[in-house]
Amino acid sequence: MKAKYTVGIVAAVAAIGAAIILIQQRPAQAPHKVLSPSTNTTVTPIATTTPAPGRYTDYSPEAMSAPNYTETILFFHAPWCPECRAYNSVLTTTPPPTGVQILKVDHDSSTDLRKQYGVVVQTTFVRITPAGEKISVWPAYGKEKSIQAILDNT
């Protein structure tokens, strides 16, 4: 009976040791992966960020790549243009909604950007992707001067 007891203990210790080795050799799962209860497949959760407060500011490459803006609109502005000054007044008194940035581009000196986005007249708004690709263009000369009109037409 003593021999059976000793064999049982040795077998239990061997089994525990084997389990420990298997656990240590198992590849670690990424902590961000979870199992979907409905499909029993691995799903990666979507990262959430808080949108930045809406802003109207001067154009710069750094401003274009600012994080947490879901929409970027370029405003090709000329300081001598009465229409541009009217839009500028609206944009400085009424900020864009959360997640939207409107960047003021100097129409007269930014010839490369004008060519890139096909802008031919000041008072033009261009909606772009986060990568800087043109989505839409709105020549707003003579149009309604409001944040909503800008958002609706770009």
Side-chain angles (χ1 to χ4, degrees):
M1 179 127 171
K2 190 175 184 182
K4 285 184 180 181
Y5 181 72
T6 304
V7 171
I9 290 176
V10 170
V13 169
I16 292 171
I20 291 172
I21 291 171
L22 287 174
I23 290 171
Q24 288 177 341
Q25 292 181 349
R26 183 183 69 191
Q29 289 185 342
H32 66 279
K33 301 231 179 202
V34 294
L35 288 181
S36 169
S38 61
T39 61
N40 205 22
T41 58
T42 302
V43 178
T44 302
I46 297 173
T48 58
T49 57
T50 304
R55 71 175 180 172
Y56 173 57
T57 190
D58 290 331
Y59 167 84
S60 72
E62 295 79 23
M64 270 187 58
S65 62
N68 302 334
Y69 285 100
T70 56
E71 297 181 49
T72 298
I73 300 170
L74 303 178
F75 170 35
F76 286 84
H77 173 278
W80 50 263
C81 168
E83 290 283 309
C84 295
R85 288 196 304 261
Y87 277 105
N88 189 65
S89 177
V90 167
L91 291 166
T92 55
T93 58
T94 309
T98 300
V100 176
Q101 64 175 346
I102 299 177
L103 305 178
K104 183 165 69 170
V105 179
D106 186 301
H107 178 270
D108 296 332
S109 64
S110 301
T111 54
D112 289 343
L113 283 175
R114 282 196 339 243
K115 287 179 187 175
Q116 179 179 349
Y117 295 112
V119 173
V120 294
V121 65
Q122 74 279 356
T123 317
T124 298
F125 292 87
V126 179
R127 185 180 300 261
I128 60 173
T129 67
E133 297 167 353
K134 176 174 60 175
I135 297 172
S136 63
V137 177
W138 183 48
Y141 199 90
K143 306 291 176 30
E144 178 188 342
K145 285 147 191 74
S146 69
I147 295 282
Q148 196 59 50
I150 295 166
L151 297 174
D152 289 346
N153 291 289
T154 56

